[in-house]
Amino acid sequence: MNPRHYTDFDHGITAIDTGYHQPQFDASHLIVRDGRAAFVDTGTSLSLDRLLGGLERANVAPADVDYVFITHVHLDHAGGAGALMQHLPNARCVVHPRGAKHLVEPDKLVAGTIAVYGEKEFARLYGEIVPIPAARVVESSDGARFDFGGGAVELIDTPGHALHHYSIVDPVSNSIFTGDTFGVSYRVFDTANGAFIMPATTPTHFDPDQAHASVDRLMSYKPDAMFLTHYSRVTDVGRLAADMHRGIDQYVEIARDCADEDNRIDCIKTRMHDWLCERLEAHGCELPADTRDQWLAMDVDLNAQGLSVWLDRSRK
């Protein structure tokens, strides 16, 4: 059990580095209260040892995990849910109604992800996707509350990044587990000016109006912090929310400017990369260009694809 894979916060919350792509890129969160536990997102099947290690580290038996909350069913966050559930005899997996079928019968989700990455890269990134028995899956509803550890969390629908996305409002910590709705904020980009944040517009459900509305809904709870899957806790949420709104608008403007280019996606990628680099410089980021670009590459690529899909959809 490598201690570098775990970051402890107040109120029984631990971020677990799932090992996806590179260190501190993708997080699962373990919440432990009064001897009961819940996971928020799981990483991939390849993350299983780290998730179980988090329980061992917290002195929690697998039988004492009540819930596995899946904010949305993109495989970097939900691909390991089935494998994890096999080790948690009493847990129920809570997922958005639009995503539940994909965890019970993951073939379509797997095929769609292979279409993006290819079979070889899919196997390297995600491993085996294990289906979850339907009887162990609970479909969320907007405003639903789930009790565990002497308190309750509230699930709220937050589309924009994905139609099958909810966020988890945690009154105990006055924070929200936001999946990808509140964007992406890698700790490597932190400076004296705080965290740096950018929207996640990956295929295929990005919708800018929904994304703006979901950010506003999250902020209506007046949280002290957001826990992101990429990557974990951020504070100063008022500033970051404003940056999210600005980023969504800028991404849309870039996409529209590139809409009629022969190489639309390449155009979006170039413009997005340049804009993000300008913002990082203004933020005080002093990373070498190759390190900065390594961290931006996957997001820029997938975000450009998502914006291109949105352009096609918005023209119908």
Side-chain angles (χ1 to χ4, degrees):
M1 188 188 309
N2 190 328
R4 291 180 298 176
H5 298 158
Y6 306 93
T7 304
D8 295 322
F9 300 97
D10 294 337
H11 307 289
I13 299 169
T14 297
I16 302 173
D17 186 340
T18 68
Y20 179 76
H21 188 50
Q22 59 186 348
Q24 292 206 324
F25 185 85
D26 182 88
S28 168
H29 289 96
L30 174 64
I31 310 171
V32 179
R33 290 174 187 157
D34 292 338
R36 309 304 299 180
F39 283 96
V40 179
D41 293 322
T42 65
T44 73
S45 295
L46 305 175
S47 309
L48 180 61
D49 287 347
R50 296 189 183 189
L51 303 181
L52 296 178
L55 289 178
E56 181 181 352
R57 181 174 174 270
N59 295 313
V60 174
D64 293 332
V65 178
D66 293 326
Y67 297 106
V68 174
F69 293 107
I70 300 298
T71 60
H72 60 302
V73 299
H74 291 166
L75 291 182
D76 50 341
H77 311 306
L84 178 62
M85 289 289 287
Q86 290 181 325
H87 293 264
L88 309 178
N90 299 318
R92 291 181 292 170
C93 183
V94 184
V95 62
H96 193 282
R98 289 178 176 269
K101 63 182 179 182
H102 295 298
L103 297 188
V104 176
E105 298 178 355
D107 291 351
K108 185 176 180 181
L109 187 61
V110 168
T113 309
I114 288 175
V116 174
Y117 291 102
E119 289 188 9
K120 184 177 180 180
E121 187 69 357
F122 175 89
R124 185 185 72 82
L125 289 173
Y126 302 109
E128 180 186 4
I129 308 302
V130 178
I132 302 174
R136 301 190 66 193
V137 173
V138 177
E139 295 186 6
S140 68
S141 59
D142 189 40
R145 294 178 180 273
F146 290 82
D147 295 317
F148 86 98
V153 295
E154 179 185 0
L155 274 55
I156 57 172
D157 286 353
T158 49
H161 174 75
L163 290 171
H164 47 79
H165 201 303
Y166 65 74
S167 297
I168 303 166
V169 181
D170 177 30
V172 172
S173 62
N174 194 32
S175 60
I176 306 177
F177 295 85
T178 63
D180 286 343
T181 295
F182 203 71
V184 169
S185 180
Y186 300 122
R187 304 282 60 81
V188 71
F189 291 145
D190 290 354
T191 70
N193 293 315
F196 177 87
I197 207 160
M198 53 188 174
T201 62
T202 51
T204 57
H205 294 158
F206 171 67
D207 181 282
D209 293 336
Q210 291 178 340
H212 281 302
S214 289
V215 170
D216 286 340
R217 187 174 187 191
L218 294 172
M219 291 301 296
S220 75
Y221 286 84
K222 303 186 185 308
D224 292 327
M226 306 290 198
F227 284 91
L228 286 57
T229 49
H230 306 285
Y231 183 82
S232 200
R233 187 175 188 262
V234 294
T235 55
D236 195 10
V237 294
R239 174 181 65 84
L240 296 177
D243 286 349
M244 278 291 295
H245 285 305
R246 180 171 60 144
I248 293 165
D249 287 340
Q250 185 63 38
Y251 280 17
V252 166
E253 180 179 331
I254 288 170
R256 286 175 170 158
D257 286 348
C258 294
D260 297 321
E261 294 291 329
D262 291 338
N263 296 310
R264 176 202 286 177
I265 291 179
D266 286 343
C267 176
I268 295 173
K269 286 170 62 174
T270 298
R271 290 277 305 276
M272 182 184 295
H273 173 270
D274 290 348
W275 183 73
L276 288 171
C277 289
E278 290 174 4
R279 280 200 57 218
L280 280 166
E281 183 177 357
H283 188 65
C285 177
E286 297 181 350
L287 291 173
D290 57 346
T291 302
R292 176 203 64 201
D293 291 349
Q294 176 190 353
W295 278 89
L296 291 177
M298 179 179 284
D299 288 285
V300 168
D301 182 45
L302 292 175
N303 286 345
Q305 292 181 49
L307 288 167
S308 184
V309 171
W310 167 74
L311 281 170
D312 289 337
R313 189 172 64 245
S314 65
R315 288 179 167 187
K316 292 180 180 178

